[in-house]
Amino acid sequence: MIETTSEAAANATPPRRALLAWGAFAALLLLQWALFRHYVEREIATFVPRGFDQAGYLDESYRTYEVMLSEGFFRGVRYGLRRPIANGLLLHVQAAVLFLLFGPTRLTALSLNFLYFAAFQTTLFAVLHRLTRRWGVAFFGLGMLLAALTPHSPAGGLLDFRIDCIAFSLFGILLCVVARSGFFSSPRWSLAAGAVASLLVLFRLLTSVYLAGILGTWWLLTAARCVLSRDPGQRARLKQQLLGGVLAGTVLTAVAGPVLVWKRQLLWDYYVVNTIIGEDKDLRAKEFGVVSRADFYLFYARSVRNAHAGTLFLALAAAGVLAGIGLRLLPRGGLPGSREASWDRTSAWSLLACAGLVPYAALTLNVSKSPVLGGIFVAPLLWLGVLPAVQAARRRCPARGTDAVLTALACIAVAAGVHVKLAAVCRHETWPSDRDDAEQVLALHEEVIRQSSQIHSRPPMFSFDSVLDLLTHKTLMVYAYEQHGKLLDFGAGLGGSHLHMDEKTIWDLLEHSDLVVLTKEGRLASPVYPFNQQMRPMHGAVRRYCEEELVRVGRYPVADDQLTLYVRPSFRLEGESHGWITRRGLTLTAPAEFLRKRNVAHLGGKLNLSFLKRVPGVTVVMKAAGKEQAIPAHLDVTDFHYDLVFQVPAEWLPKHGQVTVDIKFDTWFVPHDLGLNDDTRELVVCSPDTVSLTTPSPVPPPARGQVGSDR
């Protein structure tokens, strides 16, 4: 059969349209990536991570990546999966894999959010076209998604490295796959839906509650319809859908169930004890302005309207509903088109209703509120807005003007979506609004990291008299890794919890802190947190303690407040050899300011007298301002422990600069000569476990054992 020119043109048009449509879609994705990358590099990557959760996830991701480098890929993955994280299992592991490909940077980490959001857009675009065979519907749904505010939310959006944005995208992908399955009419696509649901739960374990409620409620409603239906054909279709729901639930249970059992204690402690039983629930409600019954029940509705959907998104959803209804009321006159055989409208509407109402009920009944969680409602709202247009386009004989209406809707939606994207990047971050404040915060982080290198105790304990997300032990670790490539550890002292603390615990943490930051006015921190309220009347006493016991090394004006950094005086050690002090001895250095505050040094560690045969003699020499001077030292020894004490004369200290103290011993042993191993080093004692500086004691401490040389 010979094909005519008109027939050939007709057959060539659909592929050409598909190529143009997918090309336009790719162009929109590339535009989003360019805007996203530039904004991250300009506004995000140059500052410390905001938000307590984000800093924690970044720290876990960098540590998992380092384990991959040091111990191998699979051991690194195992390390990441076994981390005691109650929220999810995969975020930091997948980020570490991306680091292997593109480097460990903030942009790489945040790119994971973008990849899943791009996957959501691609799935939505493909499924809408597959259901309707009309590109107008596909672009309308895409435009609605681009107009949503959730991806641009400061907390839980594309620029915030936490599980919320990916959970938002995966839940949207799940609804797309469910729609593609004919709402569980296709067994193959029902299995795919179960796989996507499993991935969603592995990213955010809490979504298992939503998914179980959504699928269970929809299944019971569909089962009731099946029992009550008198149409044999409809009953057969409903039974097929019930089977599809069982298949999806089986996959979800098989994959996610063992993980939930494994994490049950963490889930109980974090979600039940912390947010349902504990005092945190009332605190969160107060923090986000929930003070009345109306606030309690309408919190998430308002959050969706203001922070996640937005005016343009809701307007587009209303336009989609009106257009769908209007097209169904208009007389039919379009060309007959193909459509899916399995399409039950009631099943579609009931599942979308469950997808919105079940999470709303679960979240609302919980006293603890969080505006970040409202993103889960965007995907159901999107489908509720686009479904009437889908159903109108799927009619076997659509109404006249269907293509024109859908094309107009698509153009308006895409334009609105591009407008939202441009508005999101054509701005600066809301905090810090003044670049000088940002530079002061970064300078403070730099100084803390520099001072931590002088502290022998590992990890050094960091305390802050306020609970503030821009300065925590986690932000210090993340900043040190991103800017210096150092994987540092900091112990969490004051400011590690926003809850009320026992006053004895506060003073104990302060006495064990190596680095302390105090505010002047306390204006930066949230007044809602009990810890911040508790520290206000204690501020004067805490500052007096720091002035007396620690050394003030810097002041940093930030916004309407001033942050002051204090450091506990200590020596920095050099000359250690893999946990040992060798014949060459040990060198200690400290600023003169530290030694004027506290000039009695205490070093304690392990030794084995059976290897040394006798107590070693010790020589201590102080070097400062170009002069050297021997210092008397006391070495107290038991069978397996030593204590070395010496006092640096205050009158010998220069006004400024570094002071060096050299320590040498007069006996040692060689493990190889004793037949212990092949180590040929000349060893004396183990490196000190404790290094501290104190003020002179009026009565010298009693010797715990034999006394060595005084030199």
Side-chain angles (χ1 to χ4, degrees):
M1 179 178 178
I2 301 175
E3 187 177 54
T4 65
T5 303
S6 59
E7 290 172 337
N11 292 334
T13 299
R16 188 180 300 123
R17 288 181 179 175
L19 185 62
L20 290 174
W22 282 107
F25 173 78
L28 285 172
L29 272 185
L30 288 175
L31 173 64
Q32 293 175 68
W33 168 252
L35 296 174
F36 168 81
R37 177 177 180 176
H38 178 66
Y39 192 85
V40 170
E41 292 178 341
R42 187 187 78 220
E43 300 286 338
I44 305 299
T46 56
F47 196 59
V48 297
R50 297 299 307 274
F52 301 102
D53 291 349
Q54 178 175 204
Y57 284 121
L58 285 169
D59 179 60
E60 292 290 350
S61 301
Y62 292 137
R63 293 185 184 279
T64 302
Y65 169 69
E66 285 295 326
V67 174
M68 288 181 178
L69 296 183
S70 60
E71 300 182 21
F73 178 79
F74 292 105
R75 288 190 177 182
V77 171
R78 182 173 179 269
Y79 167 86
L81 294 177
R82 293 171 65 89
R83 297 298 295 159
I85 302 174
N87 310 84
L89 198 66
L90 296 181
L91 178 64
H92 56 291
V93 176
Q94 290 195 3
V97 175
L98 275 188
F99 293 157
L100 289 173
L101 299 175
F102 305 106
T105 65
R106 189 87 63 84
L107 175 62
T108 304
L110 293 175
S111 295
L112 194 62
N113 287 343
F114 185 87
L115 288 175
Y116 276 94
F117 185 51
F120 182 11
Q121 296 178 52
T122 305
T123 307
L124 177 67
F125 190 74
V127 167
L128 287 176
H129 177 259
R130 181 65 179 81
L131 292 177
T132 63
R133 303 296 184 184
R134 297 177 186 273
W135 294 111
V137 178
F139 276 106
F140 173 63
L142 176 64
M144 280 189 65
L145 179 56
L146 296 182
L149 299 181
T150 294
H152 310 293
S153 177
L158 287 170
L159 305 175
D160 186 15
F161 186 71
R162 65 171 83 189
I163 55 179
D164 301 274
C165 186
I166 293 178
F168 153 76
S169 297
L170 283 174
F171 189 60
I173 293 173
L174 173 61
L175 292 184
C176 292
V177 175
V178 170
R180 177 64 184 87
S181 71
F183 296 91
F184 299 110
S185 297
S186 167
R188 178 166 60 95
W189 282 100
S190 297
L191 292 173
V196 175
S198 301
L199 182 61
L200 171 59
V201 172
L202 294 182
F203 258 101
R204 189 184 193 119
L205 300 178
L206 183 62
T207 54
S208 58
V209 177
Y210 309 151
L211 296 181
I214 293 168
L215 187 58
T217 304
W218 175 86
W219 198 92
L220 291 175
L221 291 174
T222 306
R225 291 180 58 215
C226 181
V227 171
L228 297 176
S229 176
R230 298 181 179 180
D231 183 355
Q234 185 185 44
R235 293 185 66 180
R237 290 192 297 273
L238 292 177
K239 287 180 180 179
Q240 185 73 10
Q241 289 180 298
L242 292 173
L243 174 61
V246 170
L247 291 175
T250 301
V251 173
L252 175 60
T253 303
V255 175
V259 175
L260 296 175
V261 173
W262 174 35
K263 295 278 190 177
R264 63 187 182 279
Q265 189 60 50
L266 286 172
L267 290 169
W268 175 266
D269 293 340
Y270 185 85
Y271 288 108
V272 178
V273 175
N274 188 38
T275 64
I276 297 179
I277 301 176
E279 62 176 301
D280 193 63
K281 63 180 188 302
D282 298 316
L283 173 62
R284 294 298 182 187
K286 183 179 179 182
E287 180 181 7
F288 298 116
V290 181
V291 295
S292 66
R293 189 172 296 275
D295 294 332
F296 182 84
Y297 290 109
L298 298 178
F299 177 84
Y300 286 104
R302 294 167 178 170
S303 176
V304 170
R305 180 194 63 193
N306 299 327
H308 294 282
T311 304
L312 285 177
F313 177 92
L314 295 176
L316 289 172
V321 172
L322 293 176
I325 295 174
L327 289 174
R328 294 189 67 83
L329 295 177
L330 291 176
R332 302 187 182 192
L335 296 176
S338 61
R339 66 174 180 176
E340 295 291 318
S342 55
W343 182 267
D344 186 86
R345 297 176 186 171
T346 304
S347 294
W349 289 107
S350 62
L351 188 134
L352 292 178
C354 291
L357 295 177
V358 170
Y360 194 93
L363 291 173
T364 299
L365 291 177
N366 187 3
V367 176
S368 179
K369 307 296 184 185
S370 174
V372 177
L373 300 177
I376 194 173
F377 302 109
V378 172
L381 288 174
L382 188 153
W383 273 97
L384 288 172
V386 79
L387 189 59
V390 171
Q391 291 181 340
R394 285 173 58 87
R395 300 174 76 187
R396 193 171 298 277
C397 293
R400 293 187 181 94
T402 296
D403 286 335
V405 172
L406 295 178
T407 300
L409 276 178
C411 292
I412 295 172
V414 171
V418 172
H419 167 74
V420 171
K421 294 295 177 185
L422 292 175
V425 298
C426 293
R427 62 181 178 86
H428 290 291
E429 283 293 286
T430 55
W431 204 103
S433 57
D434 190 338
R435 188 61 192 177
D436 291 339
D437 293 333
E439 291 175 354
Q440 290 294 318
V441 172
L442 297 180
L444 176 54
H445 278 74
E446 288 284 354
E447 184 62 23
V448 170
I449 293 169
R450 190 184 73 84
Q451 292 291 341
S452 69
S453 66
Q454 311 288 326
I455 299 172
H456 178 71
S457 61
R458 287 292 180 266
M461 182 175 287
F462 173 78
S463 285
F464 188 20
D465 69 347
S466 299
V467 176
L468 191 62
D469 63 347
L470 59 82
L471 182 60
T472 68
H473 70 291
K474 290 290 187 181
T475 64
L476 290 168
M477 291 188 283
V478 171
Y479 183 82
Y481 190 81
E482 290 181 345
Q483 302 301 323
H484 301 281
K486 298 178 181 179
L487 196 61
L488 302 181
D489 282 314
F490 288 90
L494 298 178
S497 171
H498 59 277
L499 300 178
H500 187 276
M501 299 179 68
D502 180 70
E503 187 170 335
K504 183 178 181 300
T505 303
I506 291 177
W507 286 111
D508 184 66
L509 288 174
L510 191 61
E511 290 173 0
H512 288 84
S513 295
D514 302 292
L515 301 144
V516 179
V517 174
L518 301 182
T519 59
K520 183 178 181 180
E521 303 290 343
R523 296 176 180 174
L524 297 176
S526 171
V528 174
Y529 293 155
F531 177 80
N532 294 337
Q533 298 173 2
Q534 184 182 9
M535 290 302 296
R536 286 177 183 171
M538 298 180 63
H539 188 78
V542 170
R543 183 172 292 278
R544 284 192 298 272
Y545 171 86
C546 292
E547 290 289 343
E548 294 173 1
E549 301 293 330
L550 310 182
V551 176
R552 185 175 65 244
V553 296
R555 289 182 173 138
Y556 304 86
V558 178
D560 296 328
D561 212 327
Q562 179 176 266
L563 307 181
T564 304
L565 173 62
Y566 294 89
V567 178
R568 187 171 299 280
S570 180
F571 275 116
R572 179 166 60 91
L573 276 61
E574 296 178 357
E576 297 175 281
S577 177
H578 303 287
W580 285 88
I581 300 176
T582 67
R583 178 185 179 182
R584 296 180 178 180
L586 191 66
T587 299
L588 313 180
T589 58
E593 292 84 353
F594 285 14
L595 296 174
R596 267 194 296 274
K597 178 78 70 170
R598 294 174 173 269
N599 63 340
V600 179
H602 302 262
L603 286 76
K606 298 176 182 178
L607 88 166
N608 194 321
L609 281 178
S610 64
F611 297 155
L612 290 169
K613 306 304 182 184
R614 66 178 177 86
V615 175
V618 59
T619 301
V620 178
V621 177
M622 168 186 164
K623 299 177 181 179
K627 299 179 181 180
E628 296 186 8
Q629 181 69 43
I631 300 175
H634 300 275
L635 181 64
D636 296 340
V637 175
T638 61
D639 288 339
F640 299 102
H641 192 275
Y642 70 88
D643 284 297
L644 176 62
V645 181
F646 61 88
Q647 181 174 341
V648 178
E651 62 271 15
W652 295 352
L653 293 173
K655 292 184 178 181
H656 303 286
Q658 293 288 324
V659 176
T660 301
V661 176
D662 290 332
I663 303 174
K664 293 189 179 297
F665 300 90
D666 64 359
T667 186
W668 55 86
F669 70 95
V670 179
H672 179 269
D673 295 345
L674 299 179
L676 300 175
N677 50 47
D678 295 331
D679 192 349
T680 59
R681 291 177 298 167
E682 298 171 318
L683 307 179
V684 184
V685 295
C686 293
S687 298
D689 299 321
T690 60
V691 178
S692 62
L693 286 171
T694 63
T695 56
S697 174
V699 179
R704 295 191 340 183
Q706 188 175 0
V707 179
S709 306
D710 289 355
R711 303 187 181 181

